[in-house]
Amino acid sequence: MALRAGIIGFGVAGRYFHAPLLRAAGFHIPAVVTSKPAPAQEYLGDVDVLATADELLARKDIDLVAIASPSPLHVPHAAAALRAGKHVVVDKPLAPSTAEVSELEHLATQSQRKLSVFQNRRWDSDFLTIKKLIEQGRLGKINSFHARWDRFRPQVTDRWKDRDEPGNGILYDLGTHLIDQALMLFGQPEWLYANVFSQRPNSKTVDGFEILMGQGALRMTLGVSLMCADGGYRYRVNGSEASFLKAGLDQQEEQLKAGVEPDEHFFGGEPTEQWGTLVHGETGRREVITPETGRWLTFYEKMREAIEEDQPVPVSAAQAYDTIRVIEAALTSSAMGCRIDLQPAAPLVSR
């Protein structure tokens, strides 16, 4: 019998990320929670459109709840779903604080249910390519990792993302992806120094940041600006043997918004003009690197295995804890104008 998933929130994330990936991974979607029924009915057909999360959580035909509601609602929705005996996927960020992450993980353990965080950018084409190059040793020993995600969005909107509420702001949005990727490649930094700021007129949330992190001789710099018309390179990875330079964004989001399904053979492919370049240190020779295929679908395939076979979840609450811990340290560093030493955190064990 196919696992059954309900979705809370059917905006961009619910409609274009979670619903297509859930279906492609073999989940049936009997019900969604949204105030706008038309998009859900158009895409899912015979689906029950519900007005409240409570209605969804009371149903017996829901095994997994995918939470794609606004960030300030992630913690209460996740807690309620776990208490209702559902497995849970929460769109990032899992929570605004490490304390709340710990509470949710404790609740998942008590409920004997799986809890995971939708850090889909682990399966971006560019990140998978960088990970493979590092694992193959083609860059040598990494000495610096630079990742940016600049955009040109100078106008503050009336959307929930631009409101001053817990979990909002670009550090909790794009920042969680950049931090998560750095931690996946290199592990926890030993220290960080950060500048977290707002630049847009009338901005009520953080809309830019610069973070410098250190681990031994390695330096990691992460940054976002919403006032940048030319994003330049997304990644610069420098090693003792070579450097890798990469511009452009992974294509999966735009493909999903254009109606391409995740099981199409060309899904996740990068256009040739975006392929990254490996620059060899000794000779200066430039080599265009054929990228890995992006595959967000892997997340929900692994989530299905976690539920059906009691395997580890694709992104654990413990990993989300480490990401939010870096965010908390970055906010403290920026407010105090000082370097923050990151002592090893107490382990948070996830199912």
Side-chain angles (χ1 to χ4, degrees), residues 7-10 33-34 51-57 65-91 94 104 107 115:
I7 304 174
I8 299 177
F10 212 73
V33 177
T34 179
T52 68
D54 289 343
E55 294 176 72
L56 180 72
L57 300 181
V65 175
I67 297 172
S69 52
S71 296
L73 298 175
H74 287 182
V75 170
H77 281 161
L82 290 168
R83 291 191 182 100
K86 315 299 185 185
H87 301 289
V88 176
V89 167
V90 186
D91 209 306
L94 175 57
L104 289 176
L107 188 54
L115 170 64

Side-chain angles (χ1 to χ4, degrees), residues 147-148 150 171 192-197 199 208-213 220-225 330 333-334:
R148 297 200 62 85
D150 294 325
L171 185 57
L192 66 75
Y193 185 89
N195 184 16
V196 180
F197 48 84
Q199 289 184 313
F209 65 85
E210 304 286 340
I211 302 175
L212 171 63
M213 305 190 296
M220 297 163 272
T221 60
L222 314 176
V224 171
S225 169
S333 172
S334 185

Side-chain angles (χ1 to χ4, degrees), residues 51-332:
T52 68
D54 289 343
E55 294 176 72
L56 180 72
L57 300 181
R59 292 177 61 133
K60 303 299 184 184
D61 61 343
I62 300 294
D63 304 299
L64 168 75
V65 175
I67 297 172
S69 52
S71 296
L73 298 175
H74 287 182
V75 170
H77 281 161
L82 290 168
R83 291 191 182 100
K86 315 299 185 185
H87 301 289
V88 176
V89 167
V90 186
D91 209 306
K92 55 78 197 161
L94 175 57
S97 69
T98 51
E100 289 166 301
V101 173
S102 297
E103 289 171 5
L104 289 176
E105 173 58 15
H106 179 67
L107 188 54
T109 301
Q110 281 187 321
S111 305
Q112 296 186 319
R113 289 296 178 265
K114 301 290 185 178
L115 170 64
S116 190
V117 190
F118 189 63
Q119 290 285 0
N120 55 312
R121 297 291 175 172
R122 291 187 187 184
W123 293 276
D124 276 6
S125 171
D126 43 27
F127 180 70
L128 292 174
T129 302
I130 290 169
K131 184 171 180 285
K132 183 177 181 179
L133 288 171
I134 292 175
E135 290 172 347
Q136 291 177 335
R138 298 194 64 186
L139 300 173
K141 183 175 176 59
I142 305 303
N143 55 68
S144 63
F145 174 78
H146 307 270
R148 297 200 62 85
W149 198 334
D150 294 325
R151 292 172 166 175
F152 188 66
R153 296 185 178 175
Q155 302 301 321
V156 176
T157 70
D158 191 33
R159 300 183 307 156
W160 62 264
K161 286 189 176 184
D162 283 335
R163 296 172 189 156
D164 183 17
E165 297 180 11
N168 283 351
I170 209 67
L171 185 57
Y172 281 98
D173 185 10
L174 302 184
T176 56
H177 287 309
L178 294 179
I179 294 167
D180 180 73
Q181 288 183 345
L183 298 186
M184 288 300 97
L185 291 175
F186 307 113
Q188 279 286 307
E190 297 166 353
W191 57 265
L192 66 75
Y193 185 89
N195 184 16
V196 180
F197 48 84
S198 299
Q199 289 184 313
R200 298 179 298 171
N202 303 315
S203 180
K204 296 180 176 61
T205 62
V206 168
D207 58 22
F209 65 85
E210 304 286 340
I211 302 175
L212 171 63
M213 305 190 296
Q215 183 193 87
L218 171 65
R219 296 295 179 267
M220 297 163 272
T221 60
L222 314 176
V224 171
S225 169
L226 296 184
M227 301 285 286
C228 185
D230 177 15
Y233 286 113
R234 281 268 284 120
Y235 297 97
R236 287 179 179 265
V237 190
N238 301 313
S240 59
E241 300 294 329
S243 296
F244 181 68
L245 312 177
K246 177 67 174 67
L249 283 172
D250 178 90
Q251 297 295 294
Q252 292 173 89
E253 178 172 346
E254 291 306 312
Q255 289 176 327
L256 288 167
K257 288 179 178 177
V260 179
E261 292 295 326
D263 51 4
E264 292 279 3
H265 72 279
F266 58 89
F267 186 81
E270 285 268 354
T272 54
E273 62 269 20
Q274 283 192 191
W275 289 11
T277 302
L278 189 70
V279 182
H280 295 267
E282 289 292 334
T283 64
R285 181 172 66 90
R286 302 175 74 86
E287 177 186 356
V288 176
I289 299 298
T290 302
E292 297 296 294
T293 300
R295 201 171 188 280
W296 293 356
L297 179 57
T298 300
F299 176 90
Y300 271 116
E301 289 177 340
K302 287 182 175 293
M303 193 65 199
R304 181 170 180 173
E305 291 175 5
I307 296 170
E308 293 181 333
E309 303 172 22
D310 196 25
Q311 296 296 313
V313 295
V315 181
S316 68
Q319 292 168 334
Y321 181 98
D322 290 340
T323 296
I324 300 303
R325 182 170 175 254
V326 169
I327 288 178
E328 290 178 333
L331 291 169
T332 300

